[in-house]
Amino acid sequence: MELSNKVVLTAALTGAVTPKSINENIPLTPEEISEDAYRVWQAGASVVHFHMRDDEGLGTMDKEKFKQTLDLLKTNHPDCDVVINCTTAGDHRATDDDRMAHLPYVMPEIASYDAGSMNWTPDGVFENSPQFLERLGLKMQELNIKPEFEIFDAGMVGNVLYYASKDIVAKPLHFQFVLGVGGGMPATVESLCYLKSLIPADATWSAFGIGRAHQKIMFAALALGGHIRVGLEDNVYYARGVKATNVSLVERAARVIKEFGKEVATPDEARQILSLPARNRELQDA
Ligand code: ZN
């Protein structure tokens, strides 16, 4: 089957914020996160997006936690070839340096790149300064790590196109449209259509809606030819009053993709679709 019929399914397991008191299925420790990563891969996830929590359960960019988690996944589940995607925004207290320290240390294949600043209403300012974005883009290019441009608002697409024109970020571009965050674009089909109209023809894109909007955006993204992301980082309920697990969300997304007449991309197919550098396992093992 052609790659054009394949959908990259990303699982975002943890996030930086939601406490276990809201949904006890959110994995927090390296052991829990690595086990969930394995289980969602078995359920069909092509990519896993990783965040870390500290011992109090708060978001952290501690590079040792990233390493411990990815080492556990590799050691306990050597058969798991899921694409590794690490956040660069997992702790609002982290400095710009903290946000990049894990990249050379664990060498993820993809890392998130939040393409601008905004008010994360009502919590605070989500700061991604031009200086930081330039450093992050160059660092990721140097390390051959693919940026996933997280787009919360339309102006952020313009930022990415600017950095691409200055060779600060490498092409082809891959966007992740994040809809429904307070202060960002609303989680509507119209938002998605508009964002899609702004990106270059050779770019790839994926999308998700926060909370109750997750199904609407999942179906819309599929209908518009995009890739999709699900997981407890974005949404903790499977249905009204029913708590989700990462596996239940991935299993549903995989079913939806199949019912739509498409197929879930294997990790290696996702690598081709996203033009990831042909990274062999030896490099990661080194
Ligand atoms: Zn994230």
Side-chain angles (χ1 to χ4, degrees), residues 12 15-16 49-51 85-90 112 150 208 229 233-234:
H49 172 68
F50 288 90
H51 279 252
N85 169 334
C86 288
T87 184
T88 60
S112 61
E150 291 190 341
F208 62 94
R229 163 170 146 172
E233 173 169 351
D234 309 327

